Amino acid sequence: MENNSTIMVVSVRTVNFQVLLVQVLVCVFLCINLFLIITFFMKEYFYTVTRYILFVVMLFSDSLFLIMTDMLLIFSYFTTTVQMWLCLIIFIVLAVYTFVTPLTLTAMVLERYVAICIPLRHAELCTTRATLYLILVVHSLSSVPCIFILSVFFALAPRTFYSEDRVCSVEMFLLYTWQGYLRSATSQFYFLVMSIIIVYAYLTIMKVAKAASGENKTSTRKGLRTVILHSFQLLLCLLQLFCPFIEDAVRQIDFTLFIKVRYFNYVTFIIAPRCLSPLIYGLRDDLFFQAIRYYTLCGLYKKAPSS
């Protein structure tokens, strides 16, 4: 009896530590993202360049996604019930922004591809207006899976469902098994298309890097490293699309193991990819890094960021 009590206390402490760790990580990343967003808007040059515009869109997407997923984690941990209309809003945001970050990453890789492989057309293709159209396309494509799922849900869900109070979970909008299969097929299609784009861009840039010389070779190699980091970040984001199916399989075997797997997936495939964004452009990009250092030191760093 005493041993069982000890095990229960240890288990509760472990869960508490895990939830607390997530709160710390989310707060740190949100603060970093907020500072980078402020830095972006402090200099006019940044919001006239495609890669920086896409970068700040991804920061907004990551921040919103982290807030919503953390909210669900807290609701689940404290078994807090909410009305279904609020849960529906959370589901829509999560369903859309699950795809916004990987699609934006793909768009950023394409921008690097244009800049390195067809530089003479870069200024023509990567205008501010074209970037805004691209952001609209990214959000439209991200909304397609959500529209499919909600169309089926609205057609099949009973009216009493919307007035109920439940612990919010995205799985409750999948009323039938075949809806999960539909979501899986959509995720796999997106995964395939984005993977093909990334591989093609990488191979083409690598070919250009071998043929380049002097300063062009250095610039091209830096662009290639950026594409590699984007590819790794994108891989983690895309693997997140398969997490629900792994978790469903584990839940049928062992619920305790399911909790551990879900926590691991959340930290590895949701938090980790979104902490790479500040690294790739916040620290590796010379111009953005100068701006960060300048505004961090409140102008004491004399070399102001130049365009």
Side-chain angles (χ1 to χ4, degrees):
M1 189 73 170
E2 202 171 313
N3 290 336
N4 290 339
S5 300
T6 304
I7 292 172
M8 287 179 65
V9 170
V10 172
S11 176
V12 170
R13 285 178 179 172
T14 302
V15 173
N16 285 336
F17 171 76
Q18 291 175 345
V19 174
L20 181 61
L21 176 62
V22 169
Q23 303 313 305
V24 172
L25 291 175
V26 169
C27 287
V28 169
F29 295 143
L30 287 178
C31 289
I32 293 173
N33 287 355
L34 178 61
F35 179 72
L36 293 179
I37 290 170
I38 293 173
T39 301
F40 170 85
F41 284 107
M42 291 291 286
K43 185 166 177 59
E44 184 178 353
Y45 174 74
F46 289 146
Y47 47 87
T48 60
V49 178
T50 296
R51 68 178 182 271
Y52 295 124
I53 297 174
L54 293 175
F55 173 54
V56 82
V57 167
M58 190 165 62
L59 289 178
F60 274 118
S61 170
D62 291 346
S63 300
L64 184 59
F65 193 82
L66 284 175
I67 290 171
M68 289 298 183
T69 53
D70 188 48
M71 190 184 302
L72 283 185
L73 175 67
I74 294 172
F75 285 166
S76 176
Y77 179 70
F78 292 104
T79 59
T80 304
T81 59
V82 297
Q83 290 191 342
M84 285 301 97
W85 64 267
L86 177 59
C87 187
L88 179 62
I89 293 174
I90 295 174
F91 170 78
I92 292 173
V93 172
L94 288 178
V96 172
Y97 281 89
T98 294
F99 291 93
V100 166
T101 291
L103 285 172
T104 303
L105 279 169
T106 306
M108 295 174 80
V109 169
L110 287 176
E111 187 276 333
R112 288 293 82 199
Y113 166 80
V114 172
I116 294 171
C117 299
I118 44 178
L120 297 179
R121 298 200 62 193
H122 184 262
E124 174 191 348
L125 295 175
C126 297
T127 62
T128 303
R129 176 174 292 184
T131 304
L132 295 177
Y133 287 142
L134 181 59
I135 293 170
L136 181 61
V137 169
V138 164
H139 282 76
S140 299
L141 291 175
S142 301
S143 302
V144 172
C146 178
I147 292 172
F148 281 154
I149 293 174
L150 288 183
S151 297
V152 175
F153 175 78
F154 289 145
L156 300 177
R159 291 183 180 180
T160 55
F161 181 87
Y162 303 101
S163 58
E164 295 178 0
D165 286 350
R166 295 189 184 184
V167 177
C168 187
S169 170
V170 294
E171 285 78 14
M172 67 175 54
F173 294 95
L174 302 177
L175 301 177
Y176 297 96
T177 306
W178 62 267
Q179 287 179 275
Y181 295 148
L182 177 63
R183 184 176 66 168
S184 175
T186 306
S187 299
Q188 290 174 19
F189 175 74
Y190 276 63
F191 180 90
L192 178 63
V193 172
M194 287 187 279
S195 298
I196 291 172
I197 292 173
I198 294 294
V199 170
Y200 174 77
Y202 175 79
L203 293 177
T204 309
I205 292 174
M206 188 167 60
K207 183 178 178 181
V208 172
K210 288 182 179 180
S213 60
E215 292 183 3
N216 287 338
K217 196 175 188 69
T218 303
S219 176
T220 304
R221 282 180 175 174
K222 187 174 181 180
L224 188 62
R225 287 194 295 270
T226 300
V227 171
I228 292 173
L229 284 171
H230 278 324
S231 301
F232 177 69
Q233 187 180 11
L234 183 61
L235 176 63
L236 292 178
C237 289
L238 292 176
L239 288 175
Q240 171 203 333
L241 303 178
F242 295 92
C243 289
F245 315 110
I246 298 173
E247 292 168 5
D248 286 341
V250 173
R251 181 167 51 183
Q252 296 176 10
I253 300 173
D254 186 348
F255 186 77
T256 303
L257 180 61
F258 161 74
I259 297 297
K260 294 179 180 179
V261 169
R262 193 164 209 180
Y263 178 79
F264 172 81
N265 288 342
Y266 180 69
V267 174
T268 307
F269 301 117
I270 292 181
I271 293 181
R274 287 159 177 82
C275 76
L276 291 176
S277 301
L279 171 65
I280 295 174
Y281 271 114
L283 299 179
R284 293 188 68 254
D285 185 272
D286 293 335
L287 188 59
F288 210 91
F289 180 71
Q290 284 182 24
I292 291 173
R293 182 161 54 174
Y294 180 80
Y295 294 120
T296 300
L297 299 177
C298 302
L300 295 177
Y301 175 67
K302 299 301 181 182
K303 186 178 180 181
S306 57
S307 59

